[in-house]
Amino acid sequence: MDMDTKISDLTLSLYDSWVGECIEIVKAELKTHNLELDVSFWISDDWFCPDGVVGIGIPFYLLTPELIKIEKQEIGKAEGSTKRECLRIIRHELGHAIDNAFKLRTFEERQNLFGDSDKRYPASYIPKFYSQKYVTYLGDGYAQSHPDEDWAETFAVWLDPDSNWKSKYQNMECMTKLLYIDKIMREIPKLKQKVFCKKKVDHFTNDDRTLREYFNQKRRRLKISKKRRIPFELKKISTNCNESSLANFLNKNKVILKSNILSCEELKSYEVDKTIQELIVISKQNRLGLKRDTQTPKIKVVSKFVQNYTLKKKLRGDFRIYM
């Protein structure tokens, strides 16, 4: 696909795709709880539910295999590109939509449990994955980023028929939030829906940006380099080759590497995960191999490097999650 193609010129259909099937699955989940929410879905440039709108934007890149592939190449991932992940994000965004529809953020108990919705969204945050005050669902400790995201993540866990939330969170502080959502959702069929707005925001047919412009803007927002430079420390153990063999080694030995590295009490599991994933991308982009060391086993060399590099990243504050 030509990167100078305008987004508005793409031929896309939401309900003729597997994404449309995911939407119908989650709508059926709502019905099992007698929640007949009048919600709209439209094609946009990202996942989002605008404030005050009972509707959800679905990113255009999910609607063809070629666009998913390009998104992964340009951004490093394509959020929602598997059925499981797509279902999870729709459930999360429905949490925002139902909040908008019934203005639940104005309820005193909701504010006491989740916090003030008017709190300003941060540009980035550092999650505390050990906290028991929040559910975990989409990853990156997203519930910790803002009170409204805490609400949407907790709603998604409650709605997901496979979450087993009553057992998984039974001894955690966040159970109070889940029980509140369970209670308020039982009451909603009796409540009057206050917002029926089905406004479509930033529909893709109005987006005159080229694919190139879209990806450049998205990389800047997420602070992603198109081609990541090779860290100085990595140059000491790597060499140029044509096979990306270092990336293959990192991918194949993730579990062993983490086991070796997490003996260092200063590091958290997610920090090591993010470092290894970053190094896999860099190694693929630059086709790096591992220098031969006849005296030291490869796994020991790489484990030591990844541990030291992760520690350095942590000291620099590199593990912030950008919104």
Side-chain angles (χ1 to χ4, degrees):
M1 186 174 291
D2 189 344
M3 293 292 282
D4 290 320
T5 300
K6 289 184 178 180
I7 294 173
S8 57
D9 289 339
L10 295 171
T11 304
L12 303 171
S13 175
L14 188 57
Y15 285 95
D16 289 338
S17 70
W18 63 276
V19 179
E21 294 175 15
C22 290
I23 291 171
E24 295 305 320
I25 289 171
V26 180
K27 281 183 176 179
E29 291 172 1
L30 286 175
K31 286 183 180 179
T32 64
H33 296 283
N34 296 315
L35 297 172
E36 299 284 347
L37 185 65
D38 185 19
V39 58
S40 61
F41 295 83
W42 64 89
I43 303 170
S44 189
D45 65 346
D46 208 346
W47 288 101
F48 75 124
C49 173
D51 196 18
V53 176
V54 188
I56 298 168
I58 308 285
F60 69 87
Y61 61 74
L62 289 180
L63 300 181
T64 74
E66 187 177 5
L67 284 170
I68 290 175
K69 183 178 179 181
I70 296 171
E71 178 83 8
K72 288 179 177 178
Q73 288 173 344
E74 297 290 326
I75 303 300
K77 62 180 178 179
E79 285 187 313
S81 58
T82 66
K83 184 176 181 180
R84 178 177 180 272
E85 189 181 17
C86 185
L87 287 169
R88 285 179 163 235
I89 299 175
I90 293 172
R91 292 185 189 109
H92 172 98
E93 297 300 342
L94 275 174
H96 291 302
I98 204 165
D99 192 17
N100 290 339
F102 294 92
K103 296 189 176 180
L104 300 178
R105 66 186 63 184
T106 64
F107 290 18
E108 185 177 356
E109 191 173 359
R110 190 253 201 237
Q111 292 176 356
N112 290 338
L113 285 172
F114 293 92
D116 187 356
S117 290
D118 291 333
K119 180 181 177 182
R120 187 174 181 177
Y121 266 81
S124 63
Y125 66 98
I126 299 178
K128 297 175 181 177
F129 288 99
Y130 53 81
S131 176
Q132 296 193 355
K133 295 180 180 179
Y134 306 91
V135 298
T136 55
Y137 198 64
L138 291 185
D140 285 340
Y142 196 42
Q144 300 178 37
S145 65
H146 187 273
D148 283 355
E149 301 307 336
D150 187 11
W151 163 270
E153 285 285 84
T154 309
F155 174 87
V157 168
W158 172 84
L159 182 63
D160 189 339
D162 297 322
S163 70
N164 196 25
W165 62 268
K166 290 181 181 178
S167 173
K168 181 177 179 180
Y169 296 101
Q170 63 178 334
N171 296 317
M172 296 174 64
E173 290 179 66
C174 60
M175 177 56 84
T176 307
K177 298 174 183 175
L178 283 160
L179 290 174
Y180 171 71
I181 285 184
D182 190 50
K183 181 188 76 170
I184 201 69
M185 290 305 142
R186 293 175 193 275
E187 296 173 2
I188 272 186
K190 306 170 191 174
L191 299 177
K192 185 177 180 181
Q193 188 167 333
K194 296 182 178 180
V195 178
F196 293 90
C197 179
K198 298 182 72 173
K199 179 183 176 184
K200 296 182 180 180
V201 182
D202 293 336
H203 192 272
F204 86 105
T205 55
N206 299 322
D207 196 331
D208 286 332
R209 289 176 298 171
T210 64
L211 290 174
R212 191 185 315 280
E213 289 168 338
Y214 159 77
F215 287 118
N216 286 341
Q217 290 173 13
K218 191 167 185 176
R219 279 194 298 270
R220 283 196 296 270
R221 176 170 61 84
L222 298 176
K223 300 189 183 300
I224 297 171
S225 299
K226 186 169 184 181
K227 185 169 183 178
R228 302 187 187 185
R229 64 178 183 81
I230 305 173
F232 173 75
E233 300 89 344
L234 184 57
K235 292 179 180 179
K236 294 180 180 179
I237 67 165
S238 66
T239 183
N240 292 328
C241 67
N242 294 319
E243 304 172 340
S244 300
S245 57
L246 178 54
N248 294 335
F249 182 85
L250 290 164
N251 216 9
K252 192 180 294 184
N253 293 282
K254 281 181 185 177
V255 175
I256 300 173
L257 287 168
K258 280 190 68 175
S259 177
N260 291 345
I261 295 163
L262 289 177
S263 59
C264 174
E265 295 181 359
E266 295 176 61
L267 296 175
K268 305 294 182 186
S269 179
Y270 86 97
E271 295 168 341
V272 178
D273 281 335
K274 285 192 168 295
T275 299
I276 291 174
Q277 192 55 44
E278 175 191 324
L279 292 170
I280 288 172
V281 172
I282 292 171
S283 300
K284 279 183 179 178
Q285 287 182 340
N286 295 280
R287 296 190 174 185
L288 298 179
L290 189 62
K291 284 183 179 177
R292 291 187 179 183
D293 187 329
T294 55
Q295 297 181 337
T296 310
K298 286 182 179 180
I299 196 70
K300 189 173 182 180
V301 171
V302 177
S303 294
K304 184 177 180 181
F305 162 72
V306 175
Q307 178 174 307
N308 291 338
Y309 187 57
T310 308
L311 282 167
K312 183 175 180 179
K313 283 170 62 65
K314 185 168 186 172
L315 287 171
R316 288 199 310 244
D318 285 359
F319 293 110
R320 299 195 71 86
I321 308 295
Y322 288 91
M323 302 286 281

